[in-house]
């Protein structure tokens, strides 16, 4: 262990908070925190703030950001009206994460998105989403994307794009993943590149070429990394990228 610019070398990673409006509660799943901790980072749950100055300060302060799962993204972010099949949005999260993501990308800070994260990045960068896969996504191959518990169990395969940074991280052509989502990417945003697809053709991972580390996955590594070590590699690659960003 060594000391860099006056503090320990472990990167501090801002984790976007989960919000439960029925309990009026900010909360967190241990897997997001433990994945970062076991990879050598220090996870810190951020405040759910919509104050721009606060969010810009957070973007400057932390070494990287984890955008967690949660509410459906408001379809007005990608120019659509919410259909009845769309879940209730969280206005505070949409607002906060839009500002945080834009600033973190501009600062070229490492960013890892999970589930809602991949959908949010795609919407913010000009792509669109299926508001509800079972009723809107047509494919010859039927795949269950919303599994029942336990969520640490893989339920479908994803094929990794060979020229993708995700392949460099995993060194696998395909991996089994869990799946707990009813939305997904429809039109991929132009700044993003597909990094993995499910057997029905749905995009399950993206990266942002030209950036140090922007990776988002549609599955839930936070529920499965203890069982499937390949998913630990995602947290490791993210934390290492946050580490090397230090001056
Ligand atoms: Mn899936």
């Amino acid at each position: 262990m060594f000391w860099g610019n006056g503090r320990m070398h472990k990167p501090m990673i801002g984790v976007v908070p989960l919000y439960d409006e029925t309990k009026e509660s900010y909360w967190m799943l241990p897997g997001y925190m433990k994945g970062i901790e076991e990879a050598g980072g220090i996870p810190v749950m951020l405040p759910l703030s919509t104050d721009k100055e606060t969010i810009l300060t957070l973007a400057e302060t932390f070494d990287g950001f984890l955008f967690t799962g949660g509410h459906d993204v408001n379809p007005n972010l990608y120019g659509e009206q919410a259909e009845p099949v769309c879940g209730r949005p969280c206005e505070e999260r949409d607002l906060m994460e839009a500002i945080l993501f834009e600033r973190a990308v501009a600062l070229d800070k490492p960013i890892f998105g999970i589930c809602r994260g991949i959908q949010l990045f795609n919407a913010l960068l000009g792509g669109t989403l299926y508001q509800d896969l079972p009723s809107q996504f047509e494919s010859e191959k039927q795949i269950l994307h919303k599994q029942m518990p336990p969520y640490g169990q893989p339920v479908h395969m994803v094929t990794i794009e060979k020229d993708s940074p995700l392949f460099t991280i995993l060194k696998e052509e395909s991996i089994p993943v869990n799946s707990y989502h009813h939305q997904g990417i429809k039109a991929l945003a132009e700044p993003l590149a597909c990094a993995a697809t499910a057997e029905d053709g749905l995009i399950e991972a993206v990266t942002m070429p030209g950036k140090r580390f922007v990776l988002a996955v549609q599955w839930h590594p936070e529920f499965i990394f203890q069982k499937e070590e390949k998913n630990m590699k995602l947290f490791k690659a993210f934390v290492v990228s946050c580490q090397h960003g230090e001056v």
Side-chain angles (χ1 to χ4, degrees):
M1 196 167 293
F2 69 95
W3 295 71
N5 51 354
R7 65 177 173 82
M8 288 166 86
H9 191 56
K10 283 191 172 190
M12 301 276 279
I13 296 169
V15 182
V16 171
L18 307 177
Y19 180 58
D20 184 338
E21 53 273 270
T22 62
K23 292 181 182 158
E24 292 185 51
S25 172
Y26 303 147
W27 66 288
M28 187 48 59
L29 283 163
Y32 292 121
M33 308 298 263
K34 287 192 169 138
I36 291 172
E37 270 199 279
E38 287 184 26
I42 301 175
V44 180
M45 188 174 107
L46 300 177
L48 184 57
S49 174
T50 53
D51 178 73
K52 192 169 180 185
E53 195 187 334
T54 299
I55 300 165
L56 296 183
T57 304
L58 293 171
E60 298 276 350
T61 304
F62 286 88
D63 298 310
F65 298 91
L66 174 62
F67 285 74
T68 50
H71 295 73
D72 288 352
V73 170
N74 194 324
N76 68 23
L77 278 175
Y78 47 92
E80 286 184 17
Q81 300 271 11
E83 308 277 344
V85 287
C86 188
R88 193 160 81 168
C90 176
E91 207 179 315
E92 294 92 341
R93 283 198 64 176
D94 284 348
L95 258 168
M96 172 186 173
E97 289 172 65
I99 299 169
L100 183 64
F101 180 75
E102 188 190 10
R103 189 64 175 165
V105 166
L107 293 168
D108 206 9
K109 300 249 176 153
I111 299 168
F112 187 20
I114 292 177
C115 195
R116 166 186 163 87
I118 190 174
Q119 297 163 7
L120 179 88
F121 300 172
N122 190 58
L124 291 175
L125 293 168
T128 62
L129 302 177
Y130 293 106
Q131 293 189 27
D132 181 59
L133 292 170
S135 58
Q136 297 177 347
F137 178 56
E138 283 176 22
S139 170
E140 281 179 18
K141 189 145 190 181
Q142 294 299 314
I143 292 203
L144 179 69
H145 284 287
K146 197 163 189 182
Q147 74 186 93
M148 301 297 283
Y151 300 120
Q153 198 63 39
V155 291
H156 69 70
M157 299 295 291
V158 293
T159 304
I160 315 293
E161 298 286 338
K162 271 196 165 168
D163 57 357
S164 159
L166 186 59
F167 187 85
T168 313
I169 295 168
L170 294 171
K171 296 176 184 69
E172 302 275 354
E173 287 177 24
S174 64
I175 62 163
V177 299
N178 54 0
S179 197
Y180 188 67
H181 57 108
H182 83 112
Q183 297 200 326
I185 291 178
K186 188 157 69 178
L188 183 63
E190 196 267 328
L192 297 176
C194 174
T197 49
E199 294 143 291
D200 56 6
L202 190 73
I203 294 174
E204 289 261 348
V206 298
T207 60
M208 195 169 174
K211 290 291 161 189
R212 189 146 57 97
F213 186 103
V214 178
L215 170 68
V217 298
Q218 185 57 79
W219 66 92
H220 285 275
E222 79 280 12
F223 284 128
I224 203 171
F225 73 88
Q226 275 147 333
K227 246 172 111 172
E228 297 275 332
E229 51 89 30
K230 290 173 199 106
N231 280 276
M232 194 58 217
K233 289 182 178 175
L234 303 180
F235 283 108
K236 283 243 170 74
F238 172 50
V239 170
V240 164
S241 181
C242 294
Q243 219 155 20
H244 291 167
E246 286 188 343
V247 180

